[in-house]
Amino acid sequence: MKTGIISLFTMAALLTATVSCKGDKKNATDAADAETAAMASMQATKFMVDHEASNIEWAGKKPTGTHTGNVKLESGVVKVEGDTISGTFLIDMTTIEDTDLEGEQKTNLENHLKGTVEGKEGDFFNVQKYPTAAFEITGISEKEGKKMMAGNLTIKDVKKNIEFPVTYEVSGSTLTLKSEPFTIDRTDWNVNYGSKSVFDNLGDKFINDDIELTLDIVAKQQM
């Protein structure tokens, strides 16, 4: 009887964990074929990204916990004309930073993610070969009362189109663009290390395929 009760509790715990993981996936994106970038007219107002004031937050999960961090933008331009917005951003992958660890653990994780550890260059982002990632806006739409930004995300040598909710506004000479947290599946960009969907027999030594991202972009008008 005790064995049966324990088994029931174990099954219930696993089911709860599975449901919780699915519920934690915020604004999951579906990676699709790349699309044509949005174009702006000559009358559009041009803004240049302030790379020091802009940031991308990231979060990745595994059975033993969550890692969080930041990555900076290298440069970018945004053009706005009424409800039309276009633009391209370069992401400096060499700035990948972990924010939940300290000391040697922090350094080791950052180096592994960047691919600066000999023999592990290709595990994650291999910044020596691919120092930048890119995002180009392909369109803005409205769904369920939210503005949705679609764009081509290029990581390593793979370009996929994704869509996620954003807000943006122009105040004086400053444009701010912020996304809600959204989730991409890293294996769509061949970032496969520790993925159960790619490798067998990982047991609990796997890393979730999902990466949660949040954009916070500040850009200044060019006169």
Side-chain angles (χ1 to χ4, degrees):
M1 179 63 71
K2 286 185 178 180
T3 302
I5 291 172
I6 292 171
S7 297
L8 286 173
F9 274 120
T10 301
M11 290 176 63
L14 287 171
L15 181 60
T16 301
T18 301
V19 171
S20 297
C21 287
K22 289 182 178 178
D24 287 344
K25 190 183 291 190
K26 298 176 182 177
N27 295 310
T29 60
D30 293 318
D33 292 339
E35 299 182 5
T36 303
M39 299 295 291
S41 73
M42 295 295 291
Q43 287 71 44
T45 305
K46 182 178 180 181
F47 298 83
M48 300 299 293
V49 167
D50 181 342
H51 69 92
E52 292 185 355
S54 302
N55 187 52
I56 301 174
E57 294 182 5
W58 60 265
K61 296 183 179 181
K62 57 183 181 179
T64 54
T66 300
H67 289 302
T68 58
N70 301 300
V71 61
K72 303 297 291 184
L73 271 69
E74 179 181 289
S75 61
V77 59
V78 185
K79 295 180 179 179
V80 179
E81 184 178 13
D83 292 330
T84 302
I85 183 169
S86 62
T88 303
F89 310 103
L90 284 181
I91 303 161
D92 185 354
M93 299 300 285
T94 68
T95 66
I96 294 173
E97 177 190 19
D98 170 85
T99 55
D100 64 283
L101 298 174
E102 295 180 350
E104 187 176 353
Q105 285 186 315
K106 171 183 170 71
T107 300
N108 289 345
L109 176 59
E110 290 172 352
N111 289 342
H112 194 189
L113 292 173
K114 293 176 185 178
T116 55
V117 180
E118 186 176 356
K120 297 184 177 182
E121 292 86 353
D123 284 358
F124 289 100
F125 299 105
N126 197 353
V127 303
Q128 297 177 91
K129 186 175 182 180
Y130 307 103
T132 59
F135 183 81
E136 58 182 354
I137 299 169
T138 60
I140 294 285
S141 61
E142 190 160 326
K143 293 181 181 178
E144 300 178 354
K146 293 183 178 182
K147 286 193 183 305
M148 303 294 292
M149 175 173 284
N152 298 323
L153 176 62
T154 302
I155 299 176
K156 295 165 81 169
D157 55 359
V158 180
K159 180 189 288 189
K160 295 284 187 178
N161 194 268
I162 59 173
E163 185 180 60
F164 49 87
V166 297
T167 58
Y168 61 89
E169 66 175 0
V170 176
S171 178
S173 61
T174 300
L175 177 143
T176 56
L177 188 155
K178 297 183 179 182
S179 76
E180 292 185 15
F182 64 94
T183 304
I184 65 170
D185 181 338
R186 62 189 173 93
T187 63
D188 288 325
W189 287 266
N190 294 332
V191 183
N192 296 328
Y193 181 81
S195 168
K196 286 201 303 182
S197 63
V198 177
F199 301 105
D200 296 326
N201 305 316
L202 292 176
D204 62 355
K205 305 296 183 183
F206 68 91
I207 301 170
N208 288 14
D209 291 346
D210 299 320
I211 300 176
E212 184 180 296
L213 301 172
T214 307
L215 309 185
D216 189 351
I217 294 171
V218 178
K220 301 294 185 179
Q221 183 177 345
Q222 297 298 292
M223 302 300 182

